[in-house]
Amino acid sequence: MTHPAAGAPISRDLLPISAFVICFNEVDRIENCLRSLSMCAQIIVVDNGSTDGTLALVEELTTQGLPIRLIHEEWRGYGGQKQFALEQCTQDWLLSIDSDERVSKKLAQALPDLISEPDVTGWSLTRYDYINGYGYVPPMAHERYHNRLFRKGTGQFDTTDKVHEGLKIDGNVRKAKQGGLLHFSPIPLHDQMLKENKYSTLKAEMKRERNIKASPAKMLVSPIIFTLRWYIRHGLWRCGWGGFIHAAKGGIYSFLTEAKRWEAEAMERTPPEEPNMETLDTY
């Protein structure tokens, strides 16, 4: 998908949609995200301390005509930060989007019809991942659907979600079948594993706070099921070895989450303490 070049005039045929995005040091990705939202009457950008040029870029896009409102807010966690951004929106419809996502051409064309449906309170959208060494997955290999577009006053985030924050929409929510979000996140595998490690720690901590016990069976089975579901059901087999690696990354995340939860419980039961060497007769 191509977006308007820098300095290109912004369309004034705006839809009554407030798009909102949270960001931190996203100078390399956020521009195409914001340009893909040029049909929205309002774009809320909530930044929590970027130092890489993100703020200057957002301000430049504002001077070019994008209806951006830039807000500085201390980090509240993923769920809390998204909820804060949501609460700043003023239009009849709201669109939740990440800085590494873009509204596809087909989805942009469908938006007027989607928000005109009288009996629908929200729409779930699919995503098309960008796979290193391949490009965007083909349309048949799209992701599952995520709640993203909804009428004002019908959706909210759980502010206790530390990661993978979920949006709950009250009422009639349907799947938007035309287009979706293009997920451009070409992170090298080394850096992606660091990210999965961080996210799995947050997920394990969240489970602990919610008193969700560790499941050794899930630790064993979930990574396999997760990988196969993405590789086969979601069609990543169409993308060669890059698709398999992409699916396996999710399986690794699933394993780390359950393993960290089990380890934390085990260390609570048996705190690490080095034994007296004199007692280790069998070694």
Side-chain angles (χ1 to χ4, degrees):
M1 177 183 179
T2 58
H3 299 295
I10 304 300
S11 170
R12 294 295 90 193
D13 297 326
L14 303 180
L15 299 174
I17 299 175
S18 290
F20 60 95
V21 55
I22 64 174
C23 66
F24 174 74
N25 287 345
E26 296 287 353
V27 69
D28 294 332
R29 296 185 179 88
I30 197 170
E31 179 173 1
N32 275 349
C33 170
L34 298 180
R35 287 191 177 278
S36 77
L37 301 170
S38 61
M39 78 294 291
C40 298
Q42 182 184 50
I43 304 171
I44 299 294
V45 177
V46 177
D47 182 89
N48 65 294
S50 291
T51 58
D52 67 340
T54 296
L55 301 180
L57 174 60
V58 172
E59 290 168 356
E60 171 61 24
L61 292 174
T62 304
T63 64
Q64 292 180 21
L66 281 175
I68 297 172
R69 179 187 172 200
L70 177 60
I71 302 171
H72 304 276
E73 180 67 18
E74 293 297 320
W75 184 241
R76 298 169 172 238
Y78 285 98
Q81 199 78 349
K82 286 283 184 73
Q83 180 64 27
F84 173 83
L86 179 159
E87 291 169 356
Q88 312 312 308
C89 298
T90 62
Q91 295 298 308
D92 295 337
W93 283 83
L94 280 60
L95 172 64
S96 174
I97 189 169
D98 293 338
S99 57
D100 58 4
E101 296 173 339
R102 294 90 173 86
V103 174
S104 75
K105 184 176 180 179
K106 287 187 176 181
L107 176 58
Q109 293 171 342
L111 283 175
D113 290 333
L114 295 180
I115 65 175
S116 297
E117 287 283 348
D119 300 324
V120 177
T121 57
W123 294 93
S124 57
L125 311 177
T126 191
R127 296 199 311 180
Y128 303 97
D129 283 332
Y130 183 93
I131 295 180
N132 291 341
Y134 181 87
Y136 282 116
V137 300
M140 293 297 292
H142 62 79
E143 251 193 56
R144 64 190 185 279
Y145 285 78
H146 308 262
N147 288 346
R148 293 300 189 91
L149 179 64
F150 56 102
R151 294 182 187 272
K152 183 175 175 60
T154 66
Q156 63 180 358
F157 290 92
D158 185 338
T159 58
T160 66
D161 282 347
K162 291 187 172 183
V163 68
H164 299 309
E165 62 286 353
L167 172 62
K168 180 181 178 182
I169 304 175
D170 298 326
N172 182 19
V173 180
R174 291 167 53 185
K175 293 181 179 179
K177 296 294 187 177
Q178 183 175 329
L181 300 173
L182 299 174
H183 184 209
F184 185 70
S185 185
I187 303 175
L189 189 57
H190 170 79
D191 295 331
Q192 182 65 39
M193 286 300 95
L194 295 177
K195 187 175 180 179
E196 301 293 354
N197 187 42
K198 172 186 175 182
Y199 283 1
S200 61
T201 296
L202 292 173
K203 186 66 175 290
E205 291 175 352
M206 192 165 67
K207 285 189 171 187
R208 179 181 182 181
E209 291 173 356
R210 295 174 179 177
N211 200 31
I212 300 175
K213 298 297 182 181
S215 172
K218 189 174 182 180
M219 179 170 55
L220 177 65
V221 176
S222 181
I224 299 173
I225 294 177
F226 191 105
T227 300
L228 292 178
R229 182 174 72 242
W230 279 78
Y231 188 64
I232 298 175
R233 180 179 177 184
H234 290 290
L236 291 182
W237 58 269
R238 303 171 188 270
C239 307
W241 284 111
F244 176 77
I245 292 171
H246 196 74
K249 287 188 297 187
I252 292 171
Y253 165 79
S254 177
F255 167 76
L256 288 175
T257 299
E258 295 304 321
K260 289 177 180 179
R261 184 69 196 97
W262 181 90
E263 182 185 64
E265 290 183 4
M267 292 179 70
E268 288 177 355
R269 293 190 300 268
T270 308
E273 180 179 352
E274 184 171 6
N276 187 326
M277 292 288 291
E278 297 298 325
T279 65
L280 303 177
D281 298 331
T282 59
Y283 295 92

